[in-house]
Amino acid sequence: MARGQGSRIAMAALACAIGLAPAANAQTSPAGNATPAPASTAAPTADNAVMLTIFLKHDQSRPLGELNAQLERQGFYKAFPPEGVEVVSWYVMMGVGQVVTLRLPASRLREVNRIFETSAWGAYRTEFYPTYDYKAIGIANHDKAK
């Protein structure tokens, strides 16, 4: 397989999984008001789990207390992390902000994104990197090559 083709296929599969989410997860209500997606009871399993690394880059022109007050007003810590989404790691990256890695069913990716759009923007600029667990395959390939 050509270099990079595997990641393009993985991203296409992820896009399909997200695109097949129920229409009930519509971003706006019929009145046009933003509404959070309903929580799903799906649990991450080997065939539906994705990892999501989120960079929360803080606004360095504002003091930390001001950023934290904004997050509190916007309800960030009440909404995040949502129930049923596993926090794999959550680190402070000095000079950048925070880096959070989650494990969740692909069908809940949009729900997590909406939490950041409605409760973290302003205090943070966000970057999202969806991935999948390749460890078992990588180790098997390594063992096979020996």
Side-chain angles (χ1 to χ4, degrees):
M1 190 176 299
R3 183 180 178 129
Q5 185 177 358
S7 56
R8 284 192 297 273
I9 292 169
M11 292 308 289
L14 180 59
C16 286
I18 294 166
L20 295 175
N25 288 337
Q27 190 164 4
T28 57
S29 68
N33 300 324
T35 57
S40 170
T41 58
T45 62
D47 64 338
N48 76 1
V50 294
M51 305 281 280
L52 180 64
T53 300
I54 307 159
F55 278 66
L56 301 166
K57 296 182 174 185
H58 59 263
D59 180 351
Q60 294 183 5
S61 70
R62 298 168 54 201
L64 181 59
E66 186 179 313
L67 297 174
N68 286 335
Q70 180 176 357
L71 291 170
E72 183 70 29
R73 279 191 314 276
Q74 294 174 180
F76 177 70
Y77 291 110
K78 285 182 182 179
F80 183 80
E83 190 170 328
V85 171
E86 178 188 353
V87 176
V88 176
S89 64
W90 193 336
Y91 293 100
V92 169
M93 185 179 289
M94 292 170 45
V96 174
Q98 298 178 31
V99 179
V100 182
T101 301
L102 307 173
R103 181 177 293 114
L104 62 147
S107 62
R108 295 192 65 193
L109 185 61
R110 186 178 170 286
E111 173 192 352
V112 171
N113 180 59
R114 290 287 294 153
I115 289 171
F116 284 91
E117 289 176 343
T118 59
S119 64
W121 283 6
Y124 294 113
R125 288 185 336 269
T126 57
E127 293 181 17
F128 295 85
Y129 299 95
T131 59
Y132 57 93
D133 188 352
Y134 192 75
K135 181 179 177 181
I137 298 166
I139 289 172
N141 287 340
H142 172 76
D143 291 346
K144 183 179 169 184
K146 281 181 156 181

